[in-house]
Structure formats: C-alpha cells, structure tokens
Amino acid sequence: MSSGGAEDDIPQAERKTVTDFCYLLDKSKQLFNGLRDLPQYGQKQWQSYFGRTFDVYTKLWKFQQQHRLRTSETSYLNEAFSFYSAIRQRSYYSQVNKEDRPELVVKKLRYYARFIVVCLLLNKMDVVKDLVKELSDEIEDYTHRFNTEDQVEWNLVLQEVAAFIEADPVMVLNDDNTIVITSNRLSETGAPLLEQGMIVGQLALADALIIGNCNNQVKFSELTVDMFRMLQALEREPMNLASQMNKPGMQESTEKPARRENPHKYLLYKPTFSQLYTFLAASFKELPANSVLLIYLSATGVFPSGRSDSEGPYDFGGVLTNSNRDIINGDAIHKRNQSYKEMHCLHPGDLYPFTRKPLFIIVDSSNSVAYKNFTNLFGQPLVCLLSPTAYPKALQDQSQRGSLFTLFLNNPLMAFLFVSGLSSMRRGLWEKCQDYLRKINRDIAQLLTHSRSIDQSFLQFFGDEFLRLLLTRFIFCSATMRMHKIFRQETRNYPESYPQLPRDETVENPHLQKHILELASILDVRNVFLENTLDDY
C-alpha cells in the first residue's frame, strides 16, 4: 500500500483487503506459536490444534493468491517451512491413507505441493528431492485406490516439479562427488561496493513486476524457471542477527542492525493485457519518492510482418504476455496484416505512461530488440536491458530449461561454466572462480562509473544494490558472449540495451576482456574464447 498518502486516500475495498490479510497473518502466527509450545506426546492433544492452524494457513495462502500480495519478506517463508516441517515430522497425515476419503488425500497432496514451493524458494533442494519422492509415492497410492478425474492433473504436477528441478544447470565437485547448491539471493558480498569517487544516484528499487509467458518453458505452480531465477535475484539473503551482533564494534551497542527491505514483487504468469496494466498502474501509483519500478518480461516475441511508413513505438512488435491460441512457428507470432495488433502484446509504447517515474526494464524475448526503439519522453531515469534475440544452434535446445540471458543475471558463474561446456570441477577451483568473479564485478563497477560517455540513467540506478548487481552481471554477460567463439556467428546473439552502452568503455573494454580470458584460463577453457575481439570490428 502507498506509504505517502493519508489513510483517507486509500479506497475502502483496498483498506479492507489489508485489514483481512493482517487478521489472517496475526491469527496464523498465534496458532503457530501455540503449536510449538504443545508437548510432543498425546496425539489427541495436538491433532485438533494442527487442523485449526493448517486451515488458517490455507486461508492465508488462498487470500494471497487471490489478491497477489507480495511482502517479499523471507522470514515468512522460513515460518512456513517450520510449520510444514512440523507436519511432516509429526506424521500429521499418517492416518489419511487408511480412510476411504479421497478429499483428505487431495488435501495431503496439496500440502506436499505447497511445501515443495516453499523449499524451492528457500533453495532447500535436498528437502525438495525427498518431498518429490514422497509425493510420487502418495500420487501412485491415490491413483490406485480411487478412480478420480484428477489423476492426470496430479501426475502433471509431479512431472512439472521434476522438470523444474532438472532445469537448473548442475555443478559436481570432483572431490567428494557432491552437487553445488548455490543461493542466488543478494548477500553482503554480492553487489560490488561503492568506492570513494563513484558518483551515483540515490534511487532505491521499491517495486518489481515479474512476468512470464515463454512458450514451452518449464514451470511449477505458475512459476516459470525464468521467473524463479529473477525472483531470487531480487531478494536478499535472510540476515543472521546473531552473526551481525558478533561483528567488531557491535558488542557495545544495544541497537539491532537495520532491517534491510526487499523490493515488493508481483509474480504474473500469463497475465492478460488488462491484468498487467492494472498491476502496472497500481505499482506506479504507490511508488514512493526516489524509488524505482522494475519490469521483467520473459515472454514469446511478437513480430510485425513488415515495415510501415512511420515507425513508431507500436510498429516493431513486442512480447506476448498471454494468448488463448496456439503459438505459430514455435517461438514467435507473425502477423499477416500489419494493421492488426495482437491484443495481449506488450509494445514499448504501452510503457510510455510509466516513464514519468524511474523505470528499469529487463526484456528476455526473441523480440527484445523492439524495446531498443524506446523514447525517454519525461527525462526520468530509464534503462532497458535486452536479451539476445537468438542463440547459437548448439544452445537452442536448452530454451525449455530457462533462458541463458536470465541465468547470467541470476548466477553468472554457472552461466559462464555452461557456455564453456563444464559440469564438474574441484571444490577449490569453484571457490577460486567465485572470488575472481567478485573481482570482475568490482572492476566492471569502476568501468561504468568512470565512463565519460555513459548515459546518466545507468549511474542514477547504480546506487541501488540490486540494480547495481544486475547491471554488472549484464555487462559481464555481454562481454562473455562477444568473446565466445560460437556467439560470434551473428550479432543477434548479443545482448543490447537502451540507452546504448559505450562499448569501448564497457562490454568491449580491453581490461574486462583480459579478465574474462583469465577466468577462462583458470578453468582451462581459453580455447573457446577469441584472444583479440577488437580487431574483428
């Protein structure tokens, strides 16, 4: 809700929504705290309490889904994890399978599905795999015992979560044959620090719309792989207050560390144009002063069939956020009649009204370049980061498992290893690469802030930690692809931006190119990169 206006400015229906949400939230906390105080023995004593608590959490879950409230507070996820774990540890649903009531079994299956979502968001992949195995067994038992109409749907849920887990690239450490599980939330050492002499703006990322509608991309619970990756890139690691209080200089102070806010997020899977515009307008209206609205679009491209006499913001196509029809030609829709526009295509011109406030746009699409034709009408900070419109043939089969561009913005080292063809290494080498990548990020920050010809919008956004990290990763991604041999086949294999970055000072800077070659040398994959890319232009 807006923090700048008086309570009277908030519509009555909206105020009631917040009141109802707060009531359910407080009630769930009271019941959960009471649940933790119950003794471990005596099934009758705690079983009814479990039922009441679970019912309130279910109502809260449904309420959030209906009203799309996104607190972005990871402590709530931790509370949900504790609650669902307690249900599992106490075998609350152990008696369900002995009763001839399919509705109770469905309730159990829904519990597993929600628990899996929470674990995915908390990056607890070991628990996820155990839960998937248990869910698989429960679905098999359910389908054998009851001849219901939702058997296919539950098998589809199982297939989706299995595909979702498999979609992430995996790095195996040769030392003990373990798999690296990385957290891609913003940590204290994540974003490069602002050094003395760096002149940047004071804007802060407040709201983010994460929109997904990629054809055939793996998803689970209305969350595509790309949406999941961007969601994590826009959240902080939960603060460990104990470790913070033990830092030098904190012992004598009675003040707790300042609470760090996550940007407020809306997750929109296949939104219609009217739904998307409603959320955009709400975010725009409630955006606090000196704040930024981020729009992330991961969607199928919509192309015009030809050029019109006047090329305006609606003549280059855009991205498709929703469609009830089958996709034509796999990944893109081509219109036979230029005068006819796809109803749910989001054109650059559709976003012009929202450029009255600072706007940061990321477009991951086969027609991302439509947003190169943006115009900054109101003089506010405006940046668009645009994915490649095509990938080398050797990588095109990976599109269902998420976009390489978004992977670079989420986990640049894993993306670098993926394009280098690596899936295993020594633990010490992994840690060395992580350290070296942090050095690269620091140097990219210096290149960007010391540039004499860069558009000031980039510097205005650079004061925010999240946006700073996205910008440095974008430049690293662009530089890597420009130096990689298989990406050099076509210029559409490169990311672009609006406004355009000064290439010689950023993505093609010799100092940065040297760093990338050094990282490739550490990994013994220097042969897949070009030694001197500037001579090719």
Side-chain angles (χ1 to χ4, degrees):
M1 300 304 109
S2 176
S3 59
E7 188 177 273
D8 292 339
D9 295 332
I10 303 176
Q12 184 176 356
E14 188 173 307
R15 193 156 58 236
K16 185 179 184 303
T17 297
V18 175
T19 302
D20 291 345
F21 172 73
C22 291
Y23 170 77
L24 286 173
L25 187 61
D26 290 341
K27 190 68 175 177
S28 65
K29 286 183 176 180
Q30 291 173 10
L31 288 170
F32 181 72
N33 290 335
L35 191 64
R36 289 186 298 188
D37 296 334
L38 289 177
Q40 298 288 328
Y41 55 85
Q43 182 174 348
K44 291 183 179 180
Q45 187 173 4
W46 56 260
Q47 194 166 22
S48 61
Y49 210 102
F50 249 124
R52 291 169 56 198
T53 309
F54 188 79
D55 287 341
V56 170
Y57 266 82
T58 300
K59 290 178 182 178
L60 184 62
W61 179 288
K62 289 181 178 178
F63 190 91
Q64 287 181 308
Q65 292 299 310
Q66 291 169 357
H67 298 278
R68 295 296 185 185
L69 293 171
R70 295 286 182 258
T71 64
S72 299
E73 179 55 61
T74 48
S75 64
Y76 293 154
L77 279 176
N78 289 325
E79 285 185 14
F81 176 79
S82 298
F83 174 65
Y84 288 140
S85 295
I87 291 177
R88 186 167 173 239
Q89 289 167 3
R90 296 195 180 199
S91 303
Y92 175 62
Y93 282 116
S94 61
Q95 303 300 316
V96 168
N97 291 8
K98 298 179 181 179
E99 299 185 32
D100 191 25
R101 296 176 60 187
E103 69 276 10
L104 290 181
V105 180
V106 169
K107 193 173 183 180
K108 183 177 185 179
L109 298 180
R110 287 176 178 167
Y111 151 75
Y112 270 106
R114 291 168 183 169
F115 196 5
I116 288 170
V117 171
V118 169
C119 292
L120 283 172
L121 293 174
L122 289 174
N123 210 35
K124 297 181 181 292
M125 299 308 295
D126 291 340
V127 181
V128 169
K129 292 176 181 177
D130 291 340
L131 292 175
V132 170
K133 176 63 170 63
E134 292 176 22
L135 177 60
S136 176
D137 294 340
E138 294 292 341
I139 292 175
E140 184 177 358
D141 179 74
Y142 174 62
T143 56
H144 277 84
R145 291 173 58 205
F146 306 103
N147 185 21
T148 60
E149 297 178 355
D150 60 349
Q151 294 180 10
V152 175
E153 295 177 10
W154 279 110
N155 282 321
L156 181 60
V157 168
L158 193 62
Q159 293 170 17
E160 283 186 349
V161 68
F164 198 93
I165 297 170
E166 190 180 350
D168 255 355
V170 171
M171 181 55 54
V172 178
L173 300 180
N174 294 333
D175 308 58
D176 48 12
N177 204 33
T178 58
I179 295 176
V180 174
I181 298 178
T182 60
S183 174
N184 300 312
R185 288 186 171 90
L186 179 63
S187 63
E188 293 182 4
T189 58
L193 297 176
L194 292 175
E195 299 178 5
Q196 189 174 5
M198 288 185 176
I199 302 175
V200 298
Q202 301 300 311
L203 296 173
L205 178 60
D207 265 35
L209 272 72
I210 300 176
I211 300 149
N213 182 35
C214 274
N215 185 35
N216 294 328
Q217 189 174 109
V218 170
K219 74 170 186 70
F220 180 61
S221 186
E222 295 195 350
L223 193 67
T224 67
V225 173
D226 283 351
M227 292 173 68
F228 175 68
R229 288 171 178 166
M230 186 51 57
L231 172 69
Q232 290 205 321
L234 297 177
E235 288 188 348
R236 299 180 187 276
E237 277 293 334
M239 180 182 290
N240 187 329
L241 292 179
S243 64
Q244 290 290 317
M245 297 299 290
N246 289 332
K247 284 186 175 182
M250 291 294 292
Q251 291 88 340
E252 300 177 2
S253 174
T254 58
E255 296 181 4
K256 292 183 179 180
R259 184 170 176 266
R260 305 170 303 166
E261 297 290 342
N262 285 326
H264 179 267
K265 293 179 287 296
Y266 295 97
L267 306 178
L268 304 178
Y269 176 66
K270 294 184 180 293
T272 63
F273 178 79
S274 59
Q275 289 172 335
L276 176 54
Y277 231 60
T278 299
F279 282 100
L280 275 171
S283 293
F284 179 84
K285 176 186 175 183
E286 298 168 0
L287 198 68
N290 299 318
S291 297
V292 182
L293 170 61
L294 182 147
I295 302 172
Y296 170 78
L297 296 164
S298 169
T300 298
V302 179
F303 296 96
S305 60
R307 295 297 184 190
S308 60
D309 295 336
S310 60
E311 294 182 344
Y314 288 88
D315 296 321
F316 297 94
V319 300
L320 188 70
T321 63
N322 181 282
S323 177
N324 294 324
R325 299 179 292 105
D326 292 333
I327 300 299
I328 301 174
N329 292 336
D331 188 46
I333 292 179
H334 297 263
K335 286 298 172 193
R336 297 178 181 176
N337 185 352
Q338 176 62 21
S339 64
Y340 177 79
K341 305 293 185 185
E342 169 64 44
M343 177 180 177
H344 300 299
C345 173
L346 191 71
H347 298 265
D350 294 324
L351 297 179
Y352 279 12
F354 306 103
T355 61
R356 289 174 170 84
K357 294 181 180 180
L359 188 62
F360 195 98
I361 304 170
I362 302 173
V363 185
D364 195 336
S365 172
S366 54
N367 192 29
S368 61
V369 291
Y371 289 78
K372 281 177 59 179
N373 305 286
F374 231 98
T375 303
N376 193 339
L377 300 176
F378 300 97
Q380 291 289 328
L382 171 65
V383 162
C384 302
L385 305 183
L386 312 174
S387 72
T389 56
Y391 291 101
K393 292 181 179 179
L395 300 176
Q396 285 179 354
D397 293 340
Q398 303 294 323
S399 59
Q400 290 187 357
R401 306 176 71 170
S403 166
L404 179 61
F405 176 69
T406 294
L407 181 60
F408 262 102
L409 299 182
N410 166 260
N411 192 334
L413 179 55
M414 197 67 83
F416 189 89
L417 296 171
F418 175 75
V419 299
S420 301
L422 296 175
S423 58
S424 63
M425 64 172 60
R426 302 187 315 277
R427 182 179 297 275
L429 186 58
W430 167 265
E431 294 168 353
K432 182 178 181 180
C433 290
Q434 290 276 34
D435 290 339
Y436 196 77
L437 188 58
R438 282 190 280 269
K439 171 180 171 57
I440 293 177
N441 276 341
R442 289 195 298 269
D443 286 355
I444 290 175
Q446 289 184 340
L447 290 176
L448 198 147
T449 55
H450 293 168
S451 170
R452 297 181 179 180
S453 57
I454 195 168
D455 189 280
Q456 289 300 303
S457 287
F458 290 99
L459 300 180
Q460 288 293 313
F461 291 128
F462 212 65
D464 180 86
E465 287 181 285
F466 292 105
L467 302 181
R468 182 159 69 249
L469 193 59
L470 289 173
L471 285 169
T472 55
R473 287 174 173 177
F474 173 80
I475 292 174
F476 175 73
C477 171
S478 300
T480 298
M481 290 181 177
R482 289 175 181 275
M483 294 184 67
H484 201 290
K485 289 180 180 178
I486 67 169
F487 284 86
R488 301 284 294 180
Q489 299 166 3
E490 296 185 69
T491 56
R492 62 185 186 140
N493 291 339
Y494 304 149
E496 299 192 53
S497 68
Y498 172 87
Q500 190 173 18
L501 284 164
R503 294 197 315 195
D504 58 334
E505 294 180 310
T506 55
V507 297
E508 292 179 0
N509 180 274
H511 184 66
L512 175 56
Q513 291 179 335
K514 181 179 178 182
H515 277 330
I516 291 175
L517 289 176
E518 179 60 29
L519 180 60
S521 296
I522 293 173
L523 295 165
D524 197 23
V525 291
R526 190 159 178 158
N527 61 305
V528 303
F529 292 91
L530 294 171
E531 294 289 331
N532 190 345
T533 58
L534 289 177
D535 293 342
D536 296 336
Y537 286 90

